[in-house]
């Protein structure tokens, strides 16, 4: 074909001679396989799905997050007394410091203060985190007041460490707040009759007397009911309140405080379990080994396991040998006396 003929054909086909030549010479681009494109789309799709799942878990409170403990307020319906065992709390701090917080707490966003939270349970873990200056691991869920109360009750029922009077005061607070008896039953995992007994005890005891005595974990419903019966007499109530304000009353163990108040109310000669304040036993270097408490019938040595656990085990193993040595010395002394 002549060059002139080729030019004429190019004019009618809408292509220039130059473009024909260019197309002929232009290298072809590498093609991307449809499988690679599909794989890339699947990857983006998986990431989006994981993000949606994560966002849903956060929204529903199924995923624990870290929160500054100074932003957390206690539940408006406290189920515990503020006075707790300091040794137990120190042990919790040590555990979290060494192993971290293993179980998250449960929170809700504060209903009236933006940026703050209220705790449903885990207040000791929150206090420990605050003392250590670290964030607290928490589930944050949308909880109504009813949900909050139920969550508190479920947690405490699982641990079974609320004392009788704490349960009674909690039941009274819930009823005062307008919660139905059915919800109080669920919160405390008890039947209707038991709720009635708890509320009755809480109503009959003056708050100042309960606060002065404290949680008294070893005092059950029977003895609290006996105190209620005793202070039905106005003179007995005055005696119990008077002894609760005496110097030294607050320094006793909480169970002993109940016994002292009960003795005053009933004018009995009952004595508290601990007649003397515990005596601290120290090593030659001045370090605390343990505490000795003496009563009319008992001599008790208590050793903190978080400090001297090894010595406690060692002493337990050595007790038979020590007792035999004591008996031998006693026999020798008696023989010498004879």
């Amino acid at each position: 074909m002549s060059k002139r003929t080729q030019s004429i054909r190019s004019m009618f086909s809408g292509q220039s001679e130059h473009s024909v030549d260019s197309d002929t010479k232009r290298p072809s681009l590498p093609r991307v396989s449809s499988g690679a494109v599909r794989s890339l789309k699947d990857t983006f799709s998986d990431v989006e799905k994981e993000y949606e799942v994560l966002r849903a878990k956060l929204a529903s409170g199924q995923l624990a997050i870290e929160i500054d403990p100074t932003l957390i307020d206690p539940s408006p319906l406290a189920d515990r007394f503020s006075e707790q065992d300091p040794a137990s709390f120190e042990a919790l701090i040590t555990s979290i410091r060494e192993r971290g917080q293993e179980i998250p707490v449960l929170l809700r966003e504060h209903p009236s203060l933006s940026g703050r939270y209220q705790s449903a349970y885990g207040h000791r873990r929150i206090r420990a985190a605050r003392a250590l200056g670290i964030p607290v691991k928490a589930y944050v869920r949308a909880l109504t007041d009813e949900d909050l109360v139920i969550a508190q009750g479920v947690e405490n029922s699982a641990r079974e460490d609320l004392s009788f009077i704490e349960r009674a005061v909690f039941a009274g607070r819930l009823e005062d707040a307008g919660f139905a008896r059915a919800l109080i039953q669920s919160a405390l995992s008890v039947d209707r009759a038991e709720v009635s007994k708890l509320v009755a005890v809480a109503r009959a005891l003056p708050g100042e007397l309960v606060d002065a005595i404290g949680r008294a974990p070893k005092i059950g419903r029977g003895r609290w009911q006996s105190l209620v019966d005793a202070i039905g007499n106005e003179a007995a109530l005055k005696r119990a309140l008077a002894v609760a304000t005496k110097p030294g009353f607050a320094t006793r163990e909480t169970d002993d405080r109940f016994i002292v108040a009960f003795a005053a109310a009933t004018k009995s000669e009952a004595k508290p379990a601990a007649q003397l304040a515990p005596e601290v036993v120290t090593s030659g270097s001045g370090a605390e080994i343990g505490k000795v408490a003496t009563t009319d019938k008992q001599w008790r040595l208590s050793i903190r396991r978080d400090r001297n656990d090894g010595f406690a085990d060692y002493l337990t193993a050595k007790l038979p040998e020590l007792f035999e040595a004591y008996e031998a010395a006693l026999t020798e002394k008696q023989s010498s006396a004879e």
Side-chain angles (χ1 to χ4, degrees):
M1 181 185 299
S2 67
K3 189 173 183 179
R4 182 170 175 275
T5 303
Q6 184 177 357
S7 298
I8 293 171
R9 287 186 175 181
S10 297
M11 289 173 61
F12 283 101
S13 64
Q15 294 181 343
S16 68
E17 178 183 356
H18 176 72
S19 66
V20 171
D21 291 341
S22 298
D23 289 343
T24 304
K25 297 176 182 179
R26 183 184 298 124
S28 60
L29 294 174
R31 293 177 60 82
V32 178
S33 68
S34 60
V37 173
R38 189 179 305 110
S39 176
L40 187 60
K41 286 183 178 180
D42 291 342
T43 299
F44 280 119
S45 178
D46 290 342
V47 170
E48 290 177 351
K49 288 178 181 177
E50 289 176 4
Y51 172 73
E52 289 300 327
V53 170
L54 181 63
R55 188 168 64 174
K57 285 184 177 180
L58 283 172
S60 62
Q62 298 178 40
L63 191 68
I65 60 176
E66 291 189 342
I67 292 179
D68 182 349
T70 62
L71 299 177
I72 303 172
D73 297 321
S75 166
L77 295 163
D79 54 358
R80 294 178 179 276
F81 291 178
S82 58
E83 181 187 49
Q84 299 293 328
D85 181 6
S88 174
F89 182 63
E90 286 298 322
L92 176 62
I93 289 179
T94 300
S95 174
I96 292 178
R97 181 189 295 116
E98 295 177 351
R99 297 191 294 271
Q101 181 192 338
E102 297 175 348
I103 303 175
V105 304
L106 178 61
L107 311 176
R108 72 172 180 180
E109 293 184 353
H110 200 293
S112 58
L113 298 176
S114 177
R116 297 193 65 82
Y117 303 86
Q118 286 181 336
S119 60
Y121 59 70
H123 74 286
R124 293 175 72 249
R125 278 163 276 170
I126 295 169
R127 282 178 54 208
R130 189 180 294 125
L132 291 168
I134 61 175
V136 64
K137 295 177 183 177
Y139 298 120
V140 180
R141 296 175 184 164
L143 302 174
T144 64
D145 288 346
E146 290 79 4
D147 295 334
L148 189 73
V149 168
I150 292 295
Q152 288 177 237
V154 168
E155 171 76 358
N156 288 322
S157 295
R159 292 204 312 269
E160 297 182 345
D161 61 350
L162 283 184
S163 68
F164 171 80
I165 195 61
E166 284 179 308
R167 292 162 64 84
V169 171
F170 184 44
R173 286 172 178 166
L174 292 179
E175 186 160 86
D176 289 342
F179 292 104
R181 285 284 176 98
L183 185 135
I184 301 174
Q185 290 175 229
S186 298
L188 292 171
S189 299
V190 296
D191 58 26
R192 189 176 183 84
E194 183 64 17
V195 169
S196 297
K197 294 172 184 176
L198 290 168
V199 172
V201 169
R203 295 274 185 268
L205 291 168
E208 60 268 35
L209 182 58
V210 173
D211 291 342
I213 292 173
R215 60 190 303 266
K218 297 179 182 177
I219 308 300
R221 178 167 61 87
R223 287 200 279 178
W224 279 105
Q225 185 60 60
S226 296
L227 179 59
V228 168
D229 296 339
I231 63 173
N233 179 293
E234 187 175 349
L237 174 58
K238 287 182 179 179
R239 289 194 300 270
L241 291 172
V243 77
T245 59
K246 285 185 176 180
F249 182 84
T251 62
R252 296 178 180 272
E253 294 290 332
T254 176
D255 293 304
D256 290 346
R257 294 200 293 265
F258 174 90
I259 296 172
V260 171
F262 183 79
T266 58
K267 283 189 174 181
S268 67
E269 295 300 321
K271 297 179 181 180
Q275 295 295 312
L276 300 174
E279 177 185 354
V280 177
V281 181
T282 58
S283 65
S285 63
E288 180 181 321
I289 298 173
K291 293 181 180 180
V292 172
T294 305
T295 71
D296 292 339
K297 298 181 179 180
Q298 290 184 332
W299 179 92
R300 297 193 303 249
L301 170 64
S302 60
I303 296 174
R304 286 185 56 171
R305 297 190 67 91
D306 60 326
R307 292 182 180 176
N308 298 312
D309 193 21
F311 177 68
D313 294 336
Y314 174 82
L315 181 60
T316 301
K318 283 286 185 180
L319 276 178
E321 181 182 334
L322 290 172
F323 188 73
E324 288 177 6
Y326 162 75
E327 284 189 319
L330 185 62
T331 301
E332 183 180 350
K333 183 178 179 180
Q334 289 173 344
S335 299
S336 300
E338 293 172 356

